[in-house]
Amino acid sequence: MVGVTATADPRSAIDAVWRIESPRLIAGLARMTRDIGLAEELAQDALVAALEQWPESGVPRNPGAWLMTTAKRRAVDTFRRNERYVRKLGEIGREQEFEEEPDFIAGLDDHIEDDLLRLVFTACHPVLSTEARVALTLKMIGGLQTHEIARAFLAKETAIAQRIVRAKKTLGDAKVPFEVPEGEDRVARLSSVLEVIYLIFNEGYSATAGEDWMRPGLCDEALRLGRILAGLMPKEPEVHGLVSLMEIQASRSAARVGPNGEPVLLMDQDRAKWNRILIGRGLAALELAEALADGAFGIYAAQAAIAACHARARVGEETDWGRIAVLYEGLGKLNPSPVIELNRAVALSMAFGPEAGLEVVDKLTSEPALKSYHLLPSVRGDFLAKLGRLDEARVEFERAAEMTGNDRERTLLLNRAADCTPGPSPDSGPADRAGRAGRTGRK
């Protein structure tokens, strides 16, 4: 008989268990059913059963095994009710005796690491849209409920639910195998997985819309997913590169928001608030990534190396901007992008003066990919303000404010535009106003 544990708040306990156990549960069921949609439905059925029974009976001492056993019974019932029963038994293997629960659970545990990795690659399959991959990853591997995903992305719950349903149908229609790819396909597919995790992190780190500057819950979830992946793929340097990048970026979180929720830019941050533990983890992960790649940088490791330059500087003036500019140049060769070139312009400006940065930025103004990218006019306005060209700078900041979808960032940009407005001030002259307007826009 499975032991039980009493708890004062069964619902909170169930939520915590689900967040931990659901990826293992879905992964194991998906391997056995070869149907990720069915696996998720069976897991949800087990959750419903827990919600019904645990408040009365108590939380089992092995809640993961309880959920797996319950889901397995539902699977057997489902197979027996339809014509797929014989075929499914053949796929699962006749040596697997469903009625012997300990063998079933032990069999799943033997494969759990492989199952989780298969689930990660399936949820992030390129056949799905980016939005679908993000939602499915948070649902299947993150263990988030649909309403939590909707709240995190400021979307309607029905829209997220439909997105997840369509994603599972797409995987089924495309007959995507539940497997870890090999060879060249593995490289491409891993890139898709890393992209999804970093997209989740970035939406938490710098929210693209809404009133909040940051959504820490998404950052935490991305970090958790990255750490899980690093455990599953310990020999992949870019996995550790991404973890390093997220750890170091996340270390600044407490310093990036002011007392009223307003953004605090990188050079204005109180670095005593930076989390040294996360920085230490990030630097260790970067060292591991470099060792695994024999010193060569991948896209994420290169970005982590840039973040490390900031992390090692105890004050802003100690930042090695020349090194950062070189790293951005190398990153641009790995992944040519006008956004990377824009960031290189910022580094050049900090290392060699605003003229050097403005020369690069002016070449980017005709880039179609940056046409609606608010950071282009924001950065250009920063350089112009530092050069004392305040009228031009004000126009750029106002244009950037119109482009951004984040309310906090819009306010910041409008304030910087106001700093560029000529006019008498009782406590400052034009030079002082230019100095305030010329603060770097890096975060």
Side-chain angles (χ1 to χ4, degrees), residues 122-143:
T122 303
C124 296
H125 198 284
V127 73
L128 301 174
S129 68
T130 300
E131 295 80 5
R133 280 181 276 156
V134 167
L136 202 59
T137 297
L138 288 172
K139 188 78 159 56
M140 298 287 193
I141 299 107

Side-chain angles (χ1 to χ4, degrees), residues 85 195 280:
Y85 175 61
E195 178 191 18

Side-chain angles (χ1 to χ4, degrees), residues 17-344:
V17 167
W18 178 256
R19 189 64 56 88
I20 295 169
E21 297 292 344
S22 61
R24 294 163 52 93
L25 182 62
I26 295 170
L29 291 167
R31 173 173 59 83
M32 302 197 76
T33 64
R34 299 294 169 180
D35 186 331
I36 195 171
L38 177 58
E40 203 268 339
E41 290 173 13
L42 293 168
Q44 288 290 337
D45 286 344
L47 174 62
V48 171
L51 290 169
E52 292 173 347
Q53 297 179 37
W54 291 3
E56 295 293 331
S57 64
V59 178
R61 295 191 187 282
N62 190 341
W66 190 99
L67 290 168
M68 186 65 78
T69 299
T70 301
K72 178 265 296 188
R73 287 173 176 159
R74 301 295 172 97
V76 173
D77 291 342
T78 298
F79 296 155
R80 284 175 175 166
R81 283 197 304 266
N82 60 52
E83 61 186 9
R84 294 183 298 167
Y85 175 61
V86 175
R87 177 171 59 83
K88 288 294 182 181
L89 280 182
E91 291 176 3
I92 292 170
R94 292 187 180 278
E95 73 282 0
Q96 180 72 263
E97 178 54 57
F98 276 106
E99 299 306 323
E100 296 180 6
E101 293 173 6
D103 289 344
F104 179 87
I105 296 166
L108 287 175
D109 287 343
D110 289 343
H111 298 273
I112 191 62
E113 299 301 313
D114 290 340
D115 289 344
L116 277 173
L117 197 53
R118 291 186 187 102
L119 183 60
V120 169
F121 275 97
T122 303
C124 296
H125 198 284
V127 73
L128 301 174
S129 68
T130 300
E131 295 80 5
R133 280 181 276 156
V134 167
L136 202 59
T137 297
L138 288 172
K139 188 78 159 56
M140 298 287 193
I141 299 107
L144 273 64
Q145 297 294 329
T146 304
H147 67 88
E148 293 177 297
I149 301 171
R151 184 170 64 246
F153 284 93
L154 304 181
K156 292 183 179 179
E157 184 175 350
T158 53
I160 295 297
Q162 290 171 359
R163 186 176 298 168
I164 292 170
V165 168
R166 286 196 297 267
K168 289 186 287 188
K169 185 177 186 303
T170 299
L171 291 173
D173 291 345
K175 294 181 172 54
V176 171
F178 188 67
E179 64 182 16
V180 177
E182 298 294 339
E184 293 183 4
D185 191 34
R186 181 188 178 98
V187 175
R189 293 276 298 281
L190 179 59
S191 176
S192 175
V193 172
L194 297 177
E195 178 191 18
V196 167
I197 294 174
Y198 196 41
L199 280 171
I200 294 170
F201 180 85
N202 274 334
E203 185 57 33
Y205 192 71
S206 297
T208 55
E211 298 180 359
D212 296 324
W213 177 237
M214 293 183 64
R215 298 184 192 131
L218 283 176
C219 290
D220 292 344
E221 191 58 41
L223 269 171
R224 190 171 74 87
L225 293 171
R227 291 165 184 162
I228 289 172
L229 188 62
L232 295 172
M233 306 184 76
K235 300 298 184 183
E236 290 287 348
E238 271 293 76
V239 173
H240 296 289
L242 175 59
V243 171
S244 171
L245 175 58
M246 294 191 297
E247 298 275 15
I248 296 174
Q249 297 282 61
S251 73
R252 305 178 199 154
S253 296
R256 294 184 70 242
V257 180
N260 298 314
E262 70 278 9
V264 180
L265 301 178
L266 177 62
M267 298 302 285
D268 297 329
Q269 289 171 16
D270 179 1
R271 300 190 178 209
K273 294 182 179 180
W274 287 7
N275 188 318
R276 307 311 300 185
I277 294 176
L278 290 180
I279 288 174
R281 286 179 176 175
L283 294 177
L286 177 59
E287 184 177 344
L288 179 56
E290 291 176 338
L292 289 169
D294 293 328
F297 282 134
I299 293 172
Y300 293 104
Q303 292 178 77
I306 292 167
C309 289
H310 295 296
R312 293 187 178 108
R314 293 287 178 159
V315 293
E317 291 72 21
E318 293 179 359
T319 306
D320 189 348
W321 287 103
R323 166 72 171 159
I324 291 174
V326 170
L327 287 168
Y328 270 123
E329 184 177 4
L331 179 60
K333 293 177 181 177
L334 287 172
N335 182 34
S337 161
V339 174
I340 292 173
E341 189 69 358
L342 180 62
N343 280 288
R344 187 176 76 89

